[in-house]
Amino acid sequence: MIGIDLGFVTTGFSIVEKREGKIFLLDCGLLSMSSSQSISYRIGCFYDFFDQKLIEGQIQVISLETPFLGKNVQSFLKLGYLRGLLYLLANKHNLDILEFSPREVKLSITGFGGAEKDQIARVLMRLFPGFQMPKKLDLTDAMAVSLCGLWNSSFKK
Amino acid sequence: MIGIDLGFVTTGFSIVEKREGKIFLLDCGLLSMSSSQSISYRIGCFYDFFDQKLIEGQIQVISLETPFLGKNVQSFLKLGYLRGLLYLLANKHNLDILEFSPREVKLSITGFGGAEKDQIARVLMRLFPGFQMPKKLDLTDAMAVSLCGLWNSSFKK
């Protein structure tokens, strides 16, 4: 299960797995892309990066948070570009894409749909004791959506 | 020059070229995708279809109309998916993407930025006498944006 928190400058990802009732954080990190690069260059980087990650991690499911339209319509549209690439990768590698609202993610991690980011971070640190609180919240957001995906797909099985 | 009028059900495309001051319509048509198919399947179809078209047509520039946010936010986001795929193809085949507002397209074709669709269709039929008015406007929209791209890139040269 990979959780991805999309962004045209910084994208967070988190790969988690459940084995014998325990959850393991196998890989996590950020893909940073310079805003001075062209859109098509960044699109190419993003595609190649996740193509590789999905193969290496033998990923079967991608978990995403539903984007909401904020003040910046262009940013919202560009999130669509990146989602389109993930759907293309899902088609190429025969993966499922799960999607959760921000509320569902928070509820799943903390038991409270209106939880703040630092509350989510505390739960993550408890789950993965060696994990240091990152400066960028894109990483904790990705971890949260990966865990939400993992728990929800376990339920379904 | 390929002009593409994006849609998750019907996408129009038009390939035009200028030789010795004359404009030729080399290829045009529609890609129709059933709404009963999954998003990732349709994404895969769209990508493969245009990957092939761009190679066969030896395309160097893609011309698109700027999407505007209408009432349906999800449709707008999904247009983003398709645009992301075109940017990926532009990266892969080293193409340029030009973008025009609906007003710029209308102005470029008819000389009037507020022109109606049937006025555009009449100009297209005059330009390409053998061309029959199609039932689907996705095709005339694609032709209009391809011509707009062609004229504007000729100016720049």
Side-chain angles (χ1 to χ4, degrees):
Chain A
M1 172 73 63
I2 190 168
I4 305 178
D5 181 65
L6 293 168
F8 235 87
V9 175
T10 309
T11 288
F13 69 92
S14 158
I15 301 178
V16 289
E17 196 180 272
K18 199 172 178 181
R19 258 179 283 154
E20 296 166 16
K22 281 191 77 176
I23 291 167
F24 295 88
L25 177 64
L26 303 181
D27 189 6
C28 69
L30 298 172
L31 168 66
S32 296
M33 299 189 291
S34 164
S35 54
S36 65
Q37 297 285 3
S38 74
I39 289 179
S40 58
Y41 178 82
R42 284 188 270 169
I43 288 276
C45 287
F46 182 95
Y47 182 84
D48 291 341
F49 181 85
F50 282 104
D51 193 25
Q52 205 57 37
K53 276 283 164 216
L54 295 173
I55 295 168
E56 283 171 9
Q58 298 181 299
I59 304 298
Q60 292 175 321
V61 184
I62 300 172
S63 180
L64 299 177
E65 206 171 279
T66 312
F68 280 88
L69 177 63
K71 282 181 186 166
N72 191 331
V73 174
Q74 287 308 310
S75 298
F76 180 73
L77 183 66
K78 282 185 186 162
L79 278 188
Y81 297 8
L82 303 181
R83 287 170 69 90
L85 303 180
L86 293 181
Y87 274 102
L88 184 64
L89 287 168
N91 179 262
K92 181 179 172 189
H93 299 300
N94 201 22
L95 314 179
D96 285 326
I97 293 189
L98 300 179
E99 200 169 317
F100 304 95
S101 72
R103 197 174 171 81
E104 284 174 305
V105 174
K106 288 172 190 167
L107 187 68
S108 159
I109 304 295
T110 68
F112 171 49
E116 299 291 334
K117 299 246 178 197
D118 59 340
Q119 189 181 345
I120 288 172
R122 281 199 298 276
V123 174
L124 295 174
M125 284 190 284
R126 205 168 57 221
L127 271 172
F128 307 115
F131 180 69
Q132 294 289 314
M133 179 66 186
K135 282 179 192 159
K136 292 258 192 182
L137 288 174
D138 311 80
L139 191 54
T140 46
D141 286 348
M143 289 172 74
V145 79
S146 69
L147 286 171
C148 178
L150 192 67
W151 285 325
N152 281 280
S153 58
S154 307
F155 271 126
K156 284 178 195 162
K157 274 174 193 167
Chain B
M1 172 72 64
I2 189 169
I4 304 177
D5 182 64
L6 293 168
F8 235 87
V9 175
T10 308
T11 288
F13 70 91
S14 158
I15 300 178
V16 288
E17 197 180 270
K18 199 172 176 180
R19 259 179 283 155
E20 298 165 14
K22 280 191 77 176
I23 291 167
F24 295 88
L25 177 65
L26 303 182
D27 189 6
C28 68
L30 298 173
L31 167 66
S32 296
M33 300 189 289
S34 162
S35 54
S36 65
Q37 297 286 3
S38 74
I39 289 179
S40 59
Y41 178 81
R42 284 188 270 169
I43 288 275
C45 289
F46 182 95
Y47 182 85
D48 291 341
F49 181 86
F50 282 104
D51 192 25
Q52 204 57 39
K53 276 282 165 218
L54 295 173
I55 294 168
E56 283 172 8
Q58 298 180 299
I59 305 297
Q60 291 174 322
V61 184
I62 300 171
S63 180
L64 299 178
E65 206 171 278
T66 311
F68 280 87
L69 177 63
K71 281 182 188 166
N72 192 331
V73 175
Q74 287 308 311
S75 298
F76 181 72
L77 182 67
K78 281 185 188 163
L79 279 188
Y81 296 7
L82 302 181
R83 288 171 69 89
L85 303 180
L86 292 181
Y87 274 102
L88 184 64
L89 287 168
N91 179 263
K92 181 179 173 188
H93 298 301
N94 201 22
L95 314 178
D96 285 326
I97 293 189
L98 300 178
E99 200 170 315
F100 303 97
S101 71
R103 197 174 171 81
E104 284 175 304
V105 175
K106 288 172 190 167
L107 187 67
S108 160
I109 303 296
T110 67
F112 172 48
E116 299 291 334
K117 300 245 177 198
D118 61 339
Q119 190 181 344
I120 289 173
R122 281 199 299 275
V123 175
L124 294 175
M125 283 190 285
R126 204 169 57 222
L127 270 172
F128 308 114
F131 180 71
Q132 293 290 313
M133 180 65 185
K135 281 179 192 159
K136 291 257 192 183
L137 289 174
D138 310 80
L139 192 53
T140 46
D141 286 349
M143 289 173 75
V145 79
S146 70
L147 287 170
C148 177
L150 192 66
W151 285 326
N152 281 279
S153 59
S154 309
F155 271 125
K156 283 176 194 163
K157 275 174 194 168

